Amino acid sequence: MTQPGYDAMADLYAETFPDPYEFPIEAHAAAAFAEAAAGRPGRTVDVGCGVGHVAADLTARGLDVIGVDPSPGMLAHARRLHLHVPFVDGDASLSALPDGPIAAILARFSLIHVEPSKVRRALGAWAALLSPGSPVLVAFQAADEPGPPIPFDHAVAPAWRWHPDGFGEVLAEAGFDEAWRIVYRDKGYRFPMAQLLAHRR
């Protein structure tokens, strides 16, 4: 799977978003995820890592992180900006990962670009890679009303919004137990946003 939209926007993206988190609540969620992953054997995977800012932040928090992204343009910035973090060209299936145990998985606003039926397959693949208790944190633009995922006009690539209850159900079907969720709004953004943390059953 490739991301030509993100390739075309990579330079602008790196310039527009110089920090790992846009809102303070996102940094708090990442810190809680890092705490949940700390001490678990293996690498933490940042799925859809983009220019690598979050992977670098989690590395600074003491995790052994590898970033995965299908956009060569975004990865070029990640490798330039964060020389101490490894990055691989791959998608949410994580089939491109090198061998070795996986401690935890993070996907911030990346699974929105995966067709809903393929999200289910990706989460099943993650469950097969993780050991019981391993944490997963997923962030996404959310829907206000329960129901199936809703396509929306993302500026870069096709995307879907999930209701948090619906995404929680998909996580449960894949073998994860939800630990907590945060749903938040900002007056400058048109949709609510959600962060769900779950553990491999």
Side-chain angles (χ1 to χ4, degrees), residues 58-125:
L58 294 175
T59 299
R61 294 178 185 275
L63 300 182
D64 181 7
V65 182
I66 184 169
V68 177
D69 201 281
S71 166
M74 299 290 270
L75 287 176
H77 283 285
R79 290 170 176 142
R80 174 181 60 82
L81 293 167
H82 309 293
L83 300 177
H84 59 297
V85 180
F87 297 98
V88 298
D89 186 346
D91 60 23
S93 71
L94 301 186
S95 59
L97 281 180
D99 292 337
I102 303 302
I105 297 174
L106 171 94
R108 298 187 70 256
F109 302 100
S110 55
L111 291 185
I112 63 166
H113 296 304
V114 179
E115 294 178 17
S117 63
K118 294 181 180 179
V119 168
R120 290 173 166 82
R121 292 203 295 271
L123 293 177

